Amino acid sequence: MTGALTEFHVSDHLALTLGLVVYLLGAHLTRRGRVLRDWNIPEPVTGGLVASLAALALHEAAGLELSFDLASRDGLLVLFFAALGLNARLSDLAEGGRPLAILLALTLAFIILQDVAGLGVALAFGAPAGLGVLMGSAALIGGHGTAIAWAQEAASVTGVEATMELGVAMATLGL
């Protein structure tokens, strides 16, 4: 592609609306695609891949670069993570018995191991020690959403500006 890029700013409201449309598209494609269902590809991933390819096509064909207002993102991430626990019941945990206790102990051990490894990587590269958790369990167990949700806090504590990119990179590495 040659020529100048034209930037198109997507407002917060439009970004939220497009996000819902992308999710619904992903749900439709996943429901109709046997391979997507058999491989348990989440609807947001399917829709996000289609949207990413569409954005790439607009960029390459028309020189259009999209930028999104993400004002609602952090609040929606908090709602998402809060909603994950709404269906949890202590009685379900009690039914898990010994296998669940072993899984819990292993999970806690790996959280500590990941945070120690994240701290080691941060210190090895001369980064602030506060990035250790972001480069450890927040990204590796929490995934992309947790890394994005905590990136701003990590940036304010450490003074490092690229914390979101770092957290997303670590979450991707964890996959």
Side-chain angles (χ1 to χ4, degrees):
M1 209 251 355
T2 58
L5 291 176
T6 303
E7 184 173 340
F8 180 77
H9 183 74
V10 180
S11 70
D12 186 49
H13 183 264
L14 182 57
L16 180 60
T17 304
L18 288 173
L20 291 172
V21 170
V22 166
Y23 170 75
L24 292 173
L25 173 65
H28 174 74
L29 293 174
T30 301
R31 196 171 36 251
R32 296 191 45 118
R34 180 184 172 129
V35 171
L36 297 172
R37 281 192 322 272
D38 290 348
W39 289 359
N40 294 314
I41 305 299
E43 293 89 352
V45 172
T46 303
L49 183 59
V50 172
S52 296
L53 291 173
L56 176 63
L58 283 171
H59 182 272
E60 293 300 315
L64 186 64
E65 187 168 313
L66 300 174
S67 68
F68 293 87
D69 182 354
L70 301 175
S72 297
R73 180 194 63 199
D74 293 340
L76 291 170
L77 282 170
V78 169
L79 287 173
F80 170 76
F81 290 119
L84 288 178
L86 290 178
N87 200 29
R89 291 183 180 79
L90 288 176
S91 61
D92 292 340
L93 292 175
E95 288 178 21
R98 181 178 163 93
L100 185 59
I102 292 170
L103 181 62
L104 177 61
L106 287 172
T107 300
L108 291 173
F110 275 103
I111 288 172
I112 293 167
L113 181 65
Q114 288 176 345
D115 287 339
V116 168
L119 176 63
V121 170
L123 295 177
F125 284 95
L131 289 179
V133 173
L134 183 65
M135 295 185 345
S137 64
L140 298 175
I141 287 181
H144 292 86
T146 303
I148 291 169
W150 284 99
Q152 190 66 29
E153 180 68 21
S156 68
V157 168
T158 63
V160 175
E161 292 186 22
T163 53
M164 185 171 60
E165 292 82 357
L166 179 63
V168 168
M170 291 303 295
T172 302
L173 180 65
L175 291 176

